[in-house]
Amino acid sequence: MRIITLSVDGIHQAAQRGLFDWIAEQDADVICLQDLRALEYELDHEVFHPPGYFAYFFDSGIKHYNGVAIYTRHQPKALIYGLGFSSGVDMEGRYLQVDYEHYSIGSLLAPLAMSETESLEVKIKFFDDLQVLLHKVTRKRRSFIICGNWGMAHTRKDVQNWQNNQGTPGFLPHEQQWMNQLFNQIGYVDAFRQVNRDSDEFSWWPSGEMGVGDGWRTDYQVVSESIRRKVEYGVIYKSQVFSSHLPVIIDYDIEAEDL
């Protein structure tokens, strides 16, 4: 099974850059997109509904602002919109999940956090609530693949020129600690790092242009421990650019009938 995740900086712009022509060539089972910057009714055109895929969207209710999508070849048993945080802070980002018999696949967009204290507080609350939820669902008899723009880098090898970015949101000490807890204590796995340990693999350029300024790896496929050994191949696709982020492609040893 092949899963692709990409934060598109606006789905209309990405489509104009050839995203859906590229998707048609990838033979992916699931494509998770984030930061659509479009409302669902604005995506009625056939280009946004590629043949062979069931298409699901969760917009923000606000034009030109966030939103996520999942395209899947396999019709899910259920859909989950949002994370259900009692604080309501999950609505500052977006999350959409498709459920199968044994697996759940989610498309996650973390809240944007710049240098302003208020936005950082929202992001901190979002990820604190997410940590509680992820810890809780580890007890469920199902496996999770959560794809998305997490808005933070994990280790020094995930940030180009990390020395000068230690005080930058997305690579703050508490954010690195949160990722450490996710992977080392709660028990989830960074699928890409199972097959690629290189220190020059980046998926996002804050400058908006690949290769200009410092690169970051903020786009992940985070999977349950039960999937660790099922990760067969992983790559950050660099040959074509659709946004300030690059697609992360992971192949899993999972058959469609096993979902």
Side-chain angles (χ1 to χ4, degrees), residues 122-136:
V122 167
K123 185 177 181 182
I124 290 168
K125 178 60 177 172
F126 177 92
F127 278 106
D128 284 348
D129 287 353
L130 181 60
Q131 186 177 83
V132 172
L133 176 63
L134 292 177
H135 192 274
K136 184 184 300 182

Side-chain angles (χ1 to χ4, degrees), residues 154 157-158 182-184 187-198 201 217 219-236 248-253:
H154 181 203
K157 69 169 58 176
D158 299 316
L182 176 66
F183 296 133
N184 300 327
Y188 287 84
V189 176
D190 180 348
F192 181 77
R193 284 300 184 210
Q194 287 303 295
V195 291
N196 192 314
R197 298 285 180 175
D198 293 346
E201 293 286 349
R217 191 174 72 92
D219 302 88
Y220 299 84
Q221 294 192 29
V222 173
V223 305
S224 299
E225 173 63 33
S226 58
I227 301 177
R228 180 190 294 272
R229 298 186 182 277
K230 296 182 183 293
V231 181
E232 295 185 318
Y233 170 80
V235 67
I236 296 175
V248 179
I249 304 171
I250 306 288
D251 288 347
Y252 299 90
D253 182 19

Side-chain angles (χ1 to χ4, degrees), residues 128 131 152-155 170-186:
D128 284 348
Q131 186 177 83
M152 62 177 76
H154 181 203
T155 69
F171 197 56
L172 298 174
H174 72 266
E175 292 174 309
Q176 295 173 66
Q177 181 182 17
W178 191 94
M179 297 298 277
N180 284 334
Q181 291 172 335
L182 176 66
F183 296 133
N184 300 327
Q185 297 178 25
I186 303 177

